[in-house]
């Protein structure tokens, strides 16, 4: 990205994040924030505030989280990567559905489930934030995922249950300061071709 004009990177991210915002509306998912090129969203964040765990609600939220993750991976592939400085071309303008003719984005997705702490921080530019072990674990899943793949923790995988059948075999990975973690990968591109 060093050879791509910053305004082109901003345009690309705006295109991508606008698509993700629409997917949040479609799936009933709450967008929390963007940090650089990361898009953070959550399900069931404000839906069950009575303090009691509802497993059906949690499973529904997990299924919605997985559905939006699959759609995000597929949708990212409709966004063209801008050409480097000094290289002209038609794909400097976003071509939407014709993006397959050019190099397109591939994102990594990480998902975990668990408790988070939320609140509005700051006075000059207040910002709604979610933090906690679950947020950190989801970030670790994203960091260790593969391009155009979704990596989840065993807890999330088990919560989704038989609602998803296309998981790869479990994989134990080493996480910095956390030790070994049992995870699962999902390839939404290959799944989409069978649906």
């Amino acid at each position: 990205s060093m050879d791509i004009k910053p305004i082109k990177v901003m345009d690309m991210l705006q295109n991508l994040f606008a698509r993700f915002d629409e997917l949040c509306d479609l799936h009933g998912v709450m967008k929390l924030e963007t940090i650089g090129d990361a898009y953070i969203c959550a399900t069931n964040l404000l839906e069950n505030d009575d303090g009691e765990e509802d497993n059906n609600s949690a499973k529904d939220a997990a299924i919605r989280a997985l559905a939006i993750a699959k759609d995000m991976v597929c949708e990212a592939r409709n966004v063209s990567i801008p050409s480097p400085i000094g290289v002209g071309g038609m794909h400097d303008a976003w071509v939407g559905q014709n993006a397959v003719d050019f190099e397109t984005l591939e994102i990594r997705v990480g998902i975990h489930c668990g408790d988070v702490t939320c609140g509005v921080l700051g006075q000059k530019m207040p910002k709604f934030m979610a933090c906690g072990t679950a947020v950190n674990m989801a970030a670790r899943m994203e960091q260790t995922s593969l391009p155009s793949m979704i990596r989840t923790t065993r807890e999330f995988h088990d919560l989704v249950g038989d609602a998803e059948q296309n998981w790869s075999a479990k994989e134990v990975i080493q996480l910095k300061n956390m030790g070994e973690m049992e995870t699962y990968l999902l390839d939404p591109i290959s799944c989409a071709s069978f649906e």
Side-chain angles (χ1 to χ4, degrees):
S1 67
M2 294 289 290
D3 294 334
I4 299 173
K5 291 181 181 178
I7 191 68
K8 289 185 179 185
V9 174
M10 291 294 290
D11 286 345
M12 177 188 66
L13 289 174
Q14 174 59 31
N15 183 6
L16 180 67
F17 292 164
R19 292 166 185 260
F20 288 176
D21 289 346
E22 289 179 17
L23 289 174
C24 282
D25 290 342
L26 178 70
H27 290 284
V29 172
M30 183 178 183
K31 174 184 178 180
L32 297 180
E33 62 182 315
T34 58
I35 302 173
D37 64 354
Y39 188 99
I40 303 169
C41 55
T43 57
N44 220 26
L45 195 58
L46 304 174
E47 295 163 12
N48 186 8
D49 59 0
D50 61 7
E52 296 202 14
E53 178 101 8
D54 178 356
N55 200 42
N56 287 334
S57 175
K59 182 171 183 166
D60 173 67
I63 290 168
R64 285 186 291 126
L66 188 58
I68 192 173
K70 291 160 101 177
D71 285 352
M72 287 172 141
V73 169
C74 293
E75 193 61 37
R77 295 171 65 100
N78 290 324
V79 177
S80 294
I81 297 173
S83 60
I85 295 172
V87 177
M90 286 289 287
H91 74 291
D92 285 351
W94 305 111
V95 292
Q97 296 300 338
N98 297 327
V100 293
D101 297 338
F102 307 102
E103 190 174 359
T104 59
L105 287 178
E106 288 189 276
I107 63 168
R108 298 181 317 240
V109 176
I111 308 177
H112 180 59
C113 54
D115 294 334
V116 297
T117 300
C118 301
V120 178
L121 300 177
Q123 292 177 332
K124 278 196 174 257
M125 292 183 71
K127 184 175 184 181
F128 181 81
M129 291 188 63
C131 56
T133 303
V135 175
N136 186 32
M137 186 62 71
R140 300 290 180 99
M141 293 299 100
E142 181 272 330
Q143 293 162 1
T144 58
S145 190
L146 302 172
S148 293
M149 300 283 274
I150 301 165
R151 184 179 298 277
T152 73
T153 58
R154 179 187 51 77
E155 293 85 356
F156 182 86
H157 169 271
D158 292 350
L159 185 57
V160 169
D162 60 4
E164 176 61 57
Q165 300 292 322
N166 296 303
W167 298 103
S168 65
K170 76 177 175 184
E171 181 180 353
V172 176
I173 60 172
Q174 186 71 30
L175 297 177
K176 183 179 176 183
N177 299 327
M178 297 179 123
E180 291 186 340
M181 176 68 58
E182 187 177 315
T183 68
Y184 291 83
L185 277 173
L186 182 69
D187 180 354
I189 304 300
S190 67
C191 294
S193 63
F194 297 113
E195 293 176 355

